[in-house]
Structure formats: structure tokens, C-alpha cells
Coordinates of all heavy atoms in Angstrom, one line a residue:
M292 N -22.4 63.0 251.0 CA -22.4 61.8 250.1 C -22.8 62.3 248.7 O -23.6 63.2 248.6 CB -23.3 60.8 250.6 CG -22.7 59.9 251.7 SD -23.8 58.6 252.2 CE -24.7 59.5 253.4
V293 N -22.3 61.6 247.7 CA -22.7 61.9 246.3 C -23.4 60.7 245.7 O -22.9 59.6 245.7 CB -21.4 62.2 245.5 CG1 -21.8 62.5 244.1 CG2 -20.6 63.4 246.1
Y294 N -24.7 61.0 245.4 CA -25.5 60.0 244.8 C -25.8 60.3 243.3 O -25.8 61.4 242.9 CB -26.9 59.9 245.5 CG -26.8 59.5 246.9 CD1 -27.0 60.4 247.9 CD2 -26.7 58.2 247.3 CE1 -27.0 60.1 249.3 CE2 -26.6 57.8 248.7 CZ -26.8 58.8 249.6 OH -26.8 58.4 250.9
T295 N -26.0 59.2 242.6 CA -26.4 59.5 241.2 C -27.8 58.9 241.1 O -28.3 58.2 242.0 CB -25.5 58.7 240.2 OG1 -25.5 57.3 240.5 CG2 -24.1 59.3 240.2
N296 N -28.5 59.3 240.1 CA -29.9 58.8 239.9 C -29.9 57.3 239.7 O -29.0 56.8 239.0 CB -30.6 59.5 238.7 CG -30.8 60.9 239.0 OD1 -31.0 61.4 240.1 ND2 -30.9 61.7 237.9
S297 N -30.8 56.7 240.4 CA -30.9 55.2 240.3 C -32.3 54.8 240.2 O -33.2 55.3 240.9 CB -30.2 54.6 241.5 OG -30.4 53.2 241.5
S298 N -32.5 53.7 239.5 CA -33.8 53.1 239.4 C -34.0 52.1 240.5 O -35.2 51.7 240.8 CB -34.1 52.5 238.1 OG -33.1 51.5 237.8
R299 N -33.0 51.7 241.2 CA -33.1 50.8 242.3 C -33.5 51.5 243.5 O -33.0 52.5 243.9 CB -31.7 50.1 242.5 CG -31.2 49.3 241.3 CD -30.0 48.5 241.6 NE -29.0 49.3 242.2 CZ -27.8 48.8 242.6 NH1 -27.5 47.5 242.4 NH2 -26.9 49.6 243.1
K300 N -34.5 50.9 244.2 CA -35.0 51.5 245.4 C -34.4 50.9 246.6 O -34.1 49.7 246.7 CB -36.5 51.3 245.5 CG -37.3 52.0 244.4 CD -38.8 51.8 244.5 CE -39.5 52.5 243.3 NZ -40.9 52.2 243.4
G301 N -34.1 51.8 247.6 CA -33.5 51.3 248.8 C -32.0 51.2 248.9 O -31.4 50.9 249.9
R302 N -31.3 51.5 247.8 CA -29.9 51.4 247.8 C -29.3 52.8 247.3 O -29.8 53.3 246.3 CB -29.4 50.3 246.9 CG -29.7 49.0 247.3 CD -28.9 48.0 246.5 NE -29.3 46.6 246.8 CZ -28.8 45.6 246.2 NH1 -27.9 45.7 245.2 NH2 -29.1 44.4 246.6
A303 N -28.2 53.2 247.9 CA -27.5 54.3 247.4 C -26.7 54.0 246.2 O -26.2 52.9 246.1 CB -26.6 54.9 248.5
N304 N -26.6 54.9 245.3 CA -25.8 54.7 244.1 C -24.8 55.8 244.0 O -25.2 56.9 243.7 CB -26.7 54.7 242.9 CG -26.0 54.1 241.6 OD1 -24.9 53.6 241.7 ND2 -26.7 54.3 240.5
Y305 N -23.6 55.5 244.4 CA -22.5 56.5 244.5 C -21.9 56.8 243.1 O -21.7 55.9 242.3 CB -21.5 56.1 245.5 CG -22.1 55.8 246.9 CD1 -22.4 54.5 247.2 CD2 -22.3 56.8 247.7 CE1 -22.9 54.2 248.5 CE2 -22.9 56.6 249.0 CZ -23.2 55.3 249.4 OH -23.7 55.0 250.6
S306 N -21.5 58.0 242.9 CA -20.8 58.4 241.7 C -19.4 57.8 241.6 O -18.8 57.5 242.7 CB -20.8 59.9 241.5 OG -19.8 60.4 242.4
R307 N -18.9 57.6 240.4 CA -17.6 57.1 240.3 C -16.5 58.0 240.9 O -15.6 57.6 241.5 CB -17.2 57.0 238.8 CG -17.9 55.8 238.1 CD -17.4 55.7 236.7 NE -18.1 54.5 236.1 CZ -18.2 54.3 234.8 NH1 -17.5 55.1 234.0 NH2 -18.8 53.3 234.3
E308 N -16.8 59.3 240.8 CA -15.8 60.3 241.4 C -15.8 60.1 242.9 O -14.7 60.2 243.5 CB -16.2 61.7 241.0 CG -16.1 62.0 239.5 CD -17.3 61.5 238.7 OE1 -18.4 61.2 239.3 OE2 -17.1 61.3 237.5
F309 N -16.9 60.0 243.5 CA -17.0 59.8 245.0 C -16.3 58.5 245.4 O -15.5 58.6 246.3 CB -18.5 59.8 245.4 CG -18.7 59.5 246.9 CD1 -18.4 60.5 247.8 CD2 -19.1 58.3 247.4 CE1 -18.6 60.3 249.2 CE2 -19.3 58.1 248.7 CZ -19.0 59.1 249.6
K310 N -16.5 57.4 244.7 CA -15.9 56.2 245.0 C -14.4 56.3 244.9 O -13.6 55.9 245.7 CB -16.4 55.1 244.1 CG -17.8 54.7 244.3 CD -18.1 53.6 243.2 CE -19.6 53.2 243.2 NZ -19.9 52.2 242.2
Q311 N -13.9 57.0 243.8 CA -12.5 57.1 243.5 C -11.8 57.9 244.6 O -10.7 57.6 245.0 CB -12.2 57.7 242.1 CG -10.8 57.6 241.7 CD -10.2 56.2 241.7 OE1 -10.8 55.3 241.0 NE2 -9.1 56.0 242.3
R312 N -12.5 59.0 245.0 CA -11.9 59.9 246.1 C -11.8 59.1 247.4 O -10.7 59.2 248.0 CB -12.8 61.1 246.3 CG -12.6 62.2 245.3 CD -13.2 63.5 245.8 NE -14.5 63.5 246.4 CZ -15.6 63.6 245.8 NH1 -15.6 63.9 244.5 NH2 -16.8 63.6 246.4
L313 N -12.8 58.3 247.7 CA -12.7 57.5 248.9 C -11.6 56.4 248.8 O -10.8 56.2 249.8 CB -14.0 56.9 249.3 CG -15.0 57.8 250.0 CD1 -16.3 57.0 250.4 CD2 -14.4 58.4 251.2
V314 N -11.5 55.8 247.7 CA -10.5 54.7 247.4 C -9.1 55.4 247.5 O -8.2 54.8 248.2 CB -10.7 54.0 246.1 CG1 -9.5 53.2 245.7 CG2 -12.0 53.2 246.1
D315 N -8.9 56.5 246.9 CA -7.6 57.2 247.0 C -7.3 57.5 248.4 O -6.1 57.3 248.9 CB -7.6 58.4 246.1 CG -7.7 58.1 244.6 OD1 -7.4 57.0 244.3 OD2 -8.0 59.1 243.9
A316 N -8.2 58.0 249.2 CA -8.0 58.4 250.6 C -7.7 57.1 251.4 O -6.9 57.1 252.3 CB -9.2 59.1 251.1
A317 N -8.4 56.0 251.1 CA -8.3 54.8 251.9 C -6.9 54.2 251.6 O -6.4 53.4 252.5 CB -9.4 53.8 251.6
N318 N -6.3 54.4 250.5 CA -5.0 53.8 250.1 C -3.8 54.6 250.7 O -2.7 54.2 250.5 CB -4.9 53.7 248.6 CG -5.7 52.6 248.1 OD1 -6.0 51.6 248.7 ND2 -6.2 52.8 246.8
Q319 N -4.1 55.7 251.4 CA -3.0 56.5 252.0 C -2.5 55.7 253.3 O -3.3 55.1 254.0 CB -3.5 57.9 252.4 CG -4.0 58.7 251.3 CD -2.8 58.9 250.3 OE1 -1.7 59.2 250.6 NE2 -3.2 58.8 249.0
P320 N -1.2 55.8 253.5 CA -0.6 55.1 254.7 C -1.2 55.6 256.0 O -1.4 56.8 256.1 CB 0.9 55.4 254.6 CG 1.1 55.8 253.2 CD -0.2 56.4 252.7
G321 N -1.5 54.7 256.9 CA -2.0 55.1 258.2 C -3.5 55.4 258.3 O -4.0 55.7 259.3
V322 N -4.2 55.4 257.2 CA -5.6 55.7 257.2 C -6.4 54.5 257.6 O -6.2 53.4 257.1 CB -6.1 56.2 255.8 CG1 -7.6 56.3 255.7 CG2 -5.4 57.5 255.4
S323 N -7.4 54.6 258.5 CA -8.3 53.6 258.9 C -9.4 53.6 257.9 O -10.2 54.5 257.8 CB -8.8 53.8 260.3 OG -9.9 53.0 260.6
V324 N -9.5 52.5 257.1 CA -10.6 52.4 256.1 C -12.0 52.4 256.8 O -12.9 53.1 256.3 CB -10.4 51.1 255.3 CG1 -11.5 50.9 254.3 CG2 -9.1 51.2 254.5
S325 N -12.1 51.7 257.9 CA -13.4 51.7 258.6 C -13.8 53.1 259.1 O -15.0 53.5 259.0 CB -13.3 50.7 259.8 OG -13.1 49.4 259.3
K326 N -12.8 53.8 259.6 CA -13.1 55.1 260.1 C -13.5 56.1 259.0 O -14.4 56.9 259.1 CB -11.9 55.7 260.9 CG -12.2 56.9 261.7 CD -11.0 57.2 262.6 CE -11.4 58.2 263.6 NZ -10.3 58.5 264.6
L327 N -12.7 56.0 257.9 CA -13.0 56.8 256.7 C -14.4 56.5 256.2 O -15.2 57.5 255.8 CB -12.0 56.5 255.6 CG -12.1 57.3 254.3 CD1 -11.8 58.8 254.6 CD2 -11.1 56.8 253.3
A328 N -14.8 55.3 256.1 CA -16.1 54.9 255.6 C -17.2 55.5 256.5 O -18.2 56.0 256.1 CB -16.2 53.4 255.5
Q329 N -17.0 55.3 257.8 CA -18.0 55.8 258.8 C -18.1 57.3 258.7 O -19.2 57.9 258.7 CB -17.5 55.5 260.2 CG -18.6 55.8 261.3 CD -18.1 55.3 262.6 OE1 -16.9 55.2 262.9 NE2 -19.1 55.1 263.5
E330 N -17.0 58.0 258.5 CA -17.1 59.5 258.3 C -17.9 60.0 257.1 O -18.4 61.0 257.1 CB -15.6 60.1 258.3 CG -14.9 60.0 259.6 CD -13.4 60.3 259.4 OE1 -12.9 60.5 258.3 OE2 -12.7 60.3 260.4
H331 N -17.9 59.1 256.1 CA -18.6 59.4 254.9 C -19.9 58.7 254.7 O -20.6 58.8 253.7 CB -17.7 59.2 253.7 CG -16.6 60.1 253.6 ND1 -15.4 60.0 254.2 CD2 -16.4 61.3 252.9 CE1 -14.6 61.0 254.0 NE2 -15.2 61.8 253.1
G332 N -20.4 58.0 255.8 CA -21.7 57.4 255.7 C -21.7 56.2 254.8 O -22.8 55.9 254.2
V333 N -20.6 55.5 254.6 CA -20.5 54.3 253.7 C -20.2 53.1 254.6 O -19.4 53.2 255.5 CB -19.5 54.6 252.7 CG1 -19.3 53.3 251.8 CG2 -19.8 55.8 251.8
N334 N -20.8 52.0 254.2 CA -20.5 50.8 254.9 C -19.0 50.4 254.7 O -18.5 50.5 253.5 CB -21.4 49.6 254.5 CG -21.2 48.4 255.2 OD1 -20.1 47.7 255.1 ND2 -22.2 47.9 256.0
A335 N -18.3 50.0 255.7 CA -16.8 49.7 255.6 C -16.6 48.6 254.6 O -15.6 48.7 253.8 CB -16.2 49.4 256.9
N336 N -17.5 47.6 254.6 CA -17.3 46.5 253.7 C -17.4 46.9 252.2 O -16.7 46.4 251.3 CB -18.3 45.4 253.9 CG -18.0 44.7 255.2 OD1 -16.9 44.5 255.6 ND2 -19.1 44.2 255.9
L337 N -18.3 47.9 252.0 CA -18.4 48.5 250.7 C -17.2 49.2 250.2 O -16.7 49.0 249.1 CB -19.6 49.4 250.6 CG -20.0 49.9 249.2 CD1 -20.3 48.8 248.2 CD2 -21.2 50.9 249.4
L338 N -16.6 50.0 251.1 CA -15.3 50.7 250.8 C -14.2 49.7 250.5 O -13.4 49.8 249.6 CB -14.9 51.7 251.9 CG -13.7 52.5 251.6 CD1 -13.7 53.2 250.3 CD2 -13.6 53.6 252.7
F339 N -14.1 48.6 251.3 CA -13.1 47.6 251.1 C -13.3 47.0 249.7 O -12.3 46.7 249.0 CB -13.1 46.5 252.2 CG -12.4 46.9 253.4 CD1 -13.1 47.2 254.6 CD2 -11.0 47.0 253.5 CE1 -12.4 47.5 255.8 CE2 -10.3 47.3 254.6 CZ -11.1 47.6 255.8
K340 N -14.6 46.7 249.3 CA -14.9 46.2 248.0 C -14.4 47.1 246.9 O -13.9 46.7 245.9 CB -16.4 45.9 247.9 CG -16.8 45.3 246.5 CD -18.2 45.1 246.4 CE -18.7 44.5 245.1 NZ -18.2 45.1 243.9
W341 N -14.7 48.4 247.1 CA -14.3 49.4 246.1 C -12.8 49.4 245.9 O -12.3 49.5 244.8 CB -14.8 50.8 246.5 CG -16.2 51.0 246.4 CD1 -17.2 50.2 245.8 CD2 -17.0 52.1 247.0 NE1 -18.4 50.8 246.0 CE2 -18.3 51.9 246.7 CE3 -16.6 53.2 247.7 CZ2 -19.3 52.8 247.1 CZ3 -17.6 54.1 248.1 CH2 -18.9 53.9 247.8
R342 N -12.1 49.3 247.0 CA -10.6 49.2 247.0 C -10.1 48.0 246.2 O -9.3 48.0 245.3 CB -10.0 49.2 248.4 CG -9.9 50.5 249.0 CD -9.3 50.4 250.4 NE -8.1 49.6 250.4 CZ -7.3 49.4 251.4 NH1 -7.7 49.8 252.6 NH2 -6.2 48.7 251.3
R343 N -10.7 46.8 246.5 CA -10.4 45.6 245.8 C -10.7 45.7 244.3 O -9.9 45.3 243.5 CB -11.1 44.4 246.5 CG -10.8 43.1 246.0 CD -11.5 41.9 246.8 NE -12.9 42.1 246.7 CZ -13.7 42.3 247.8 NH1 -13.1 42.5 249.0 NH2 -15.0 42.4 247.7
D344 N -11.8 46.2 244.0 CA -12.2 46.4 242.6 C -11.3 47.3 241.8 O -11.0 47.1 240.7 CB -13.7 46.9 242.5 CG -14.7 45.8 242.9 OD1 -14.3 44.6 243.1 OD2 -15.9 46.2 243.1
A345 N -10.8 48.4 242.5 CA -9.9 49.3 241.9 C -8.6 48.7 241.6 O -7.9 49.1 240.6 CB -9.8 50.6 242.8
K346 N -8.1 47.7 242.4 CA -6.8 47.1 242.2 C -6.9 46.0 241.1 O -5.9 45.7 240.5 CB -6.3 46.5 243.5 CG -5.9 47.5 244.5 CD -5.4 46.8 245.8 CE -5.1 47.8 246.8 NZ -4.7 47.2 248.1
A347 N -8.1 45.5 240.9 CA -8.2 44.4 239.9 C -8.0 44.9 238.5 O -8.5 46.0 238.2 CB -9.6 43.7 240.0
P348 N -7.3 44.2 237.7 CA -7.1 44.7 236.3 C -8.4 44.6 235.6 O -9.2 43.6 235.8 CB -6.0 43.7 235.8 CG -6.1 42.5 236.6 CD -6.6 42.9 238.0
A349 N -8.6 45.5 234.7 CA -9.8 45.5 233.9 C -9.6 44.4 232.8 O -8.5 44.2 232.2 CB -10.0 46.8 233.2
L350 N -10.6 43.6 232.6 CA -10.6 42.5 231.7 C -11.3 43.0 230.4 O -12.5 43.3 230.4 CB -11.3 41.3 232.2 CG -10.7 40.7 233.5 CD1 -11.5 39.5 234.0 CD2 -9.2 40.3 233.3
Y351 N -10.5 43.0 229.3 CA -11.1 43.4 228.1 C -10.8 42.2 227.1 O -9.8 41.6 227.1 CB -10.4 44.6 227.5 CG -10.6 45.8 228.4 CD1 -9.6 46.3 229.2 CD2 -11.8 46.6 228.3 CE1 -9.8 47.4 230.0 CE2 -11.9 47.7 229.1 CZ -10.9 48.1 230.0 OH -11.1 49.2 230.8
P352 N -11.8 42.0 226.2 CA -11.6 40.9 225.2 C -10.4 41.3 224.3 O -10.3 42.5 223.9 CB -12.9 40.8 224.5 CG -13.6 42.1 224.7 CD -13.1 42.6 226.0
I353 N -9.6 40.4 224.0 CA -8.5 40.6 223.1 C -8.7 39.7 221.9 O -9.3 38.6 222.0 CB -7.1 40.4 223.7 CG1 -7.0 39.0 224.2 CG2 -6.9 41.4 224.8 CD1 -5.5 38.7 224.5
E354 N -8.1 40.1 220.8 CA -8.1 39.3 219.6 C -6.7 39.0 219.2 O -5.9 39.9 219.1 CB -8.8 40.0 218.4 CG -8.9 39.2 217.1 CD -9.6 39.9 216.0 OE1 -10.2 40.9 216.3 OE2 -9.5 39.5 214.9
L355 N -6.3 37.7 219.1 CA -5.0 37.3 218.7 C -4.9 37.3 217.2 O -5.6 36.5 216.6 CB -4.7 36.0 219.3 CG -3.3 35.4 219.1 CD1 -2.2 36.4 219.7 CD2 -3.1 34.1 219.7
V356 N -4.0 38.1 216.7 CA -3.8 38.1 215.2 C -2.4 37.7 214.9 O -1.5 38.3 215.4 CB -4.1 39.6 214.7 CG1 -3.8 39.6 213.2 CG2 -5.5 40.1 215.0
L357 N -2.3 36.6 214.2 CA -1.0 36.1 213.8 C -0.7 36.3 212.3 O -1.6 36.3 211.5 CB -1.0 34.5 214.1 CG -1.3 34.1 215.5 CD1 -1.4 32.6 215.6 CD2 -0.1 34.5 216.4
P358 N 0.5 36.6 212.0 CA 0.9 36.7 210.6 C 0.7 35.4 209.9 O 0.8 34.3 210.5 CB 2.3 37.2 210.6 CG 2.8 37.0 212.0 CD 1.6 36.8 212.9
P359 N 0.4 35.4 208.6 CA 0.1 34.2 207.9 C 1.2 33.2 208.0 O 1.0 32.0 208.1 CB 0.0 34.7 206.4 CG -0.4 36.1 206.5 CD 0.3 36.6 207.8
S360 N 2.5 33.6 208.1 CA 3.6 32.6 208.2 C 3.6 31.8 209.5 O 4.0 30.7 209.6 CB 4.9 33.3 208.0 OG 5.1 34.2 209.0
S361 N 3.0 32.4 210.5 CA 3.0 31.8 211.8 C 2.0 30.7 211.9 O 2.0 29.9 212.8 CB 2.9 32.8 213.0 OG 1.6 33.4 212.9
M362 N 1.0 30.7 211.0 CA -0.1 29.7 211.0 C 0.5 28.3 210.7 O 0.0 27.4 211.2 CB -1.1 30.1 210.0 CG -2.0 31.3 210.3 SD -2.8 31.1 211.9 CE -4.0 29.8 211.5
E363 N 1.6 28.3 210.0 CA 2.2 27.0 209.7 C 2.7 26.3 211.0 O 2.7 25.1 211.1 CB 3.4 27.2 208.8 CG 3.0 27.7 207.4 CD 4.2 28.1 206.6 OE1 5.4 27.9 207.1 OE2 4.0 28.6 205.5
L364 N 3.1 27.1 212.0 CA 3.6 26.6 213.2 C 2.5 26.0 214.1 O 2.7 25.1 214.9 CB 4.3 27.7 214.0 CG 5.5 28.3 213.4 CD1 6.0 29.5 214.2 CD2 6.6 27.3 213.2
L365 N 1.2 26.5 213.9 CA 0.1 26.1 214.7 C -0.6 24.9 214.1 O -1.3 24.2 214.8 CB -0.9 27.3 214.9 CG -0.3 28.5 215.6 CD1 -1.4 29.6 215.6 CD2 0.1 28.1 217.0
V366 N -0.5 24.7 212.8 CA -1.2 23.6 212.2 C -0.2 22.5 212.0 O 0.7 22.5 211.2 CB -1.8 24.1 210.8 CG1 -2.5 22.9 210.1 CG2 -2.7 25.2 211.0
H367 N -0.4 21.4 212.8 CA 0.5 20.3 212.7 C -0.1 19.3 211.7 O -1.3 19.0 211.7 CB 0.6 19.6 214.1 CG 1.1 20.6 215.1 ND1 2.4 21.0 215.2 CD2 0.5 21.2 216.2 CE1 2.6 21.8 216.2 NE2 1.4 21.9 216.8
P368 N 0.7 18.7 210.9 CA 0.2 17.7 209.9 C -0.2 16.5 210.7 O 0.4 16.1 211.8 CB 1.4 17.4 209.0 CG 2.6 17.9 209.8 CD 2.2 19.0 210.7
A369 N -1.2 15.8 210.2 CA -1.7 14.6 210.8 C -0.6 13.5 210.8 O 0.1 13.4 209.8 CB -2.9 14.1 210.1
P370 N -0.4 12.8 211.9 CA 0.7 11.8 211.8 C 0.3 10.7 210.8 O -0.8 10.3 210.7 CB 0.7 11.2 213.3 CG -0.6 11.6 213.9 CD -1.1 12.8 213.1
Q371 N 1.3 10.3 210.1 CA 1.1 9.2 209.0 C 1.4 7.9 209.7 O 2.3 7.7 210.5 CB 2.1 9.5 207.9 CG 1.9 10.8 207.2 CD 0.5 10.9 206.5 OE1 0.0 9.9 205.9 NE2 -0.1 12.0 206.7
P372 N 0.5 6.9 209.3 CA 0.8 5.6 209.9 C 2.1 5.0 209.4 O 2.5 5.3 208.2 CB -0.4 4.7 209.3 CG -1.0 5.5 208.2 CD -0.6 6.9 208.4
E373 N 2.8 4.3 210.2 CA 4.1 3.7 209.9 C 3.8 2.5 208.9 O 3.0 1.7 209.1 CB 4.8 3.2 211.1 CG 6.2 2.9 210.9 CD 6.9 2.6 212.2 OE1 6.6 3.2 213.2 OE2 7.7 1.7 212.2
T374 N 4.7 2.5 207.9 CA 4.5 1.4 206.9 C 5.6 0.4 207.2 O 6.7 0.8 207.6 CB 4.6 1.9 205.5 OG1 5.9 2.6 205.3 CG2 3.5 2.9 205.2
L375 N 5.4 -0.8 206.9 CA 6.3 -1.9 207.0 C 7.2 -2.0 205.8 O 6.8 -2.0 204.7 CB 5.6 -3.2 207.3 CG 4.8 -3.3 208.5 CD1 4.1 -4.7 208.6 CD2 5.7 -3.2 209.7
T376 N 8.5 -2.0 206.0 CA 9.5 -2.1 204.9 C 10.5 -3.2 205.3 O 10.8 -3.4 206.5 CB 10.2 -0.8 204.7 OG1 10.9 -0.4 205.8 CG2 9.2 0.3 204.3
P377 N 11.1 -3.8 204.3 CA 12.1 -4.8 204.7 C 13.3 -4.2 205.3 O 14.0 -4.9 206.1 CB 12.5 -5.4 203.3 CG 11.4 -5.0 202.3 CD 10.8 -3.8 202.9
E378 N 13.6 -3.0 205.1 CA 14.9 -2.4 205.6 C 14.7 -2.2 207.1 O 15.7 -2.3 207.9 CB 15.2 -1.0 205.0 CG 15.6 -1.1 203.5 CD 14.3 -1.1 202.6 OE1 13.3 -0.6 203.0 OE2 14.4 -1.8 201.5
T379 N 13.5 -1.8 207.6 CA 13.4 -1.5 209.0 C 13.1 -2.7 209.8 O 13.2 -2.7 211.0 CB 12.3 -0.4 209.3 OG1 11.0 -1.0 208.8 CG2 12.6 0.9 208.6
G380 N 12.6 -3.8 209.2 CA 12.3 -5.0 209.9 C 11.0 -4.9 210.6 O 10.7 -5.7 211.5
R381 N 10.2 -4.0 210.3 CA 8.9 -3.8 211.0 C 7.8 -4.1 210.1 O 7.7 -3.9 209.0 CB 8.8 -2.4 211.6 CG 9.8 -2.1 212.6 CD 9.5 -0.7 213.1 NE 10.5 -0.2 214.0 CZ 10.5 0.9 214.5 NH1 9.5 1.8 214.3 NH2 11.5 1.3 215.3

């Protein structure tokens, strides 16, 4: 097992490389994730979580930048109240 230094007591802290190697191995066809975890001294639920996390897209903040001309499309003029005129009969 590959541990990294950790300030947390009582928990193993595995390196990213170790996690990635196990995730890659677990994603091979026909591999038993539970058996692989047991062979490496890792809880199977933890390896399943690492696999799930590896498949999830990374969420990064994005900034939407629009050209000045497109701002006109986003800003709608306030609706004007309808006025009564003799031509419309209202």
C-alpha cells in the first residue's frame, strides 16, 4: 500500500498514483473490484467510491463572457403600458 503523510489519525491516506492504479485495474473487463480491493488491503466500498469519483466530471467555475452586441439580446425593454386611442377602440 502507498500512504502519504496525513495529519488525520486512524485513517490511511492513499496517494493519487495508488488510487489511479487501482481504479485503472478495476476498470478492466472481468476484474472483480472486491477481490482487487482485498488483494491491496483496501475496503471494497472505498475502491468503488474512487471509481465513481474518477468517472465524475470535474467541476470548475466558468465565466460567461458575451460580446457587447449580444447584451442587447439579454436586456429586454420594460413593457410599456397600453394607451387608449380612438382608432383602437380601447
Side-chain angles (χ1 to χ4, degrees):
M292 280 182 271
V293 179
Y294 297 102
T295 58
N296 292 334
S297 173
S298 60
R299 298 188 307 181
K300 295 181 181 177
R302 291 188 185 181
N304 193 9
Y305 302 98
S306 70
R307 286 184 181 166
E308 295 80 20
F309 177 74
K310 292 177 186 180
Q311 190 60 52
R312 280 198 316 267
L313 281 183
V314 166
D315 291 343
N318 286 331
Q319 297 302 314
V322 171
S323 167
V324 176
S325 297
K326 193 173 195 175
L327 180 67
Q329 186 178 25
E330 290 169 354
H331 288 86
V333 175
N334 185 294
N336 290 328
L337 185 57
L338 182 49
F339 279 109
K340 180 185 181 308
W341 291 346
R342 281 181 47 181
R343 186 174 57 246
D344 291 349
K346 289 180 183 177
L350 300 177
Y351 298 101
I353 61 167
E354 181 179 347
L355 182 60
V356 179
L357 299 172
S360 61
S361 64
M362 290 302 293
E363 297 169 4
L364 300 173
L365 297 177
V366 180
H367 301 288
Q371 298 297 319
E373 192 174 323
T374 56
L375 297 175
T376 62
E378 293 84 31
T379 61
R381 295 184 187 176

